[in-house]
Amino acid sequence: QEQLVESGGGSVEAGGSLKLSCASFGGTFATKAMGWFRQAPGKEREFVSSISWTGELTYYADFVKGRFAISRDRANNVVYLQMNSLQPEDTAVYFCTADGTTAEAMSTMAPHFIDYWGQGTQVTVSS
């Protein structure tokens, strides 16, 4: 069974850092674009970052550029999201995603078109 499992969420103070991990199981995720979306309370789910299946191409939402970095370990089927300079507005549930399209397309796709989702991990940033 194909599955994405996130970990690494938690609570930090503003200016702090967290590193999220997404382990993939049971599928051909190594050849899929992967990414991260987030959903804050009362808001719609939004794109955060994506990475091509080779790991060579990365895309970021404007609000995280220069603060977040996505990477992947294809040998171990893990995708990471390093989050630095966290702010209270980054508070949300972060979801790992995978899709057969490109990482660039994932950055503009409506969330309901994305094939695979993890269960989400909570990130809370206090001021």
Side-chain angles (χ1 to χ4, degrees):
Q1 181 178 356
E2 296 168 313
Q3 190 176 13
L4 299 174
V5 180
E6 303 98 333
S7 61
S11 298
V12 295
E13 294 184 350
S17 299
L18 284 173
K19 186 173 184 177
L20 305 183
S21 299
C22 172
S24 57
F25 303 94
T28 56
F29 291 107
T31 59
K32 287 180 169 41
M34 297 189 70
W36 294 90
F37 280 66
R38 72 185 187 185
Q39 187 166 21
K43 295 188 176 181
E44 294 186 350
R45 203 165 287 191
E46 61 182 357
F47 169 78
V48 175
S49 182
S50 59
I51 187 167
S52 63
W53 71 273
T54 62
E56 294 177 348
L57 299 175
T58 59
Y59 300 86
Y60 297 94
D62 287 343
F63 53 77
V64 302
K65 282 182 180 176
R67 300 189 299 127
F68 291 11
I70 191 170
S71 60
R72 70 188 298 168
D73 178 348
R74 293 185 65 217
N76 293 299
N77 296 320
V78 182
V79 174
Y80 302 100
L81 185 68
Q82 176 68 48
M83 305 186 296
N84 301 322
S85 301
L86 284 162
Q87 299 301 315
E89 52 266 35
D90 294 316
T91 295
V93 178
Y94 284 72
F95 297 91
C96 179
T97 59
D99 196 88
T101 186
T102 65
E104 182 176 17
M106 184 181 285
S107 71
T108 58
M109 287 171 68
H112 62 270
F113 285 118
I114 293 176
D115 291 337
Y116 301 97
W117 291 83
Q119 81 287 353
T121 185
Q122 176 70 45
V123 171
T124 303
V125 185
S126 59
S127 57

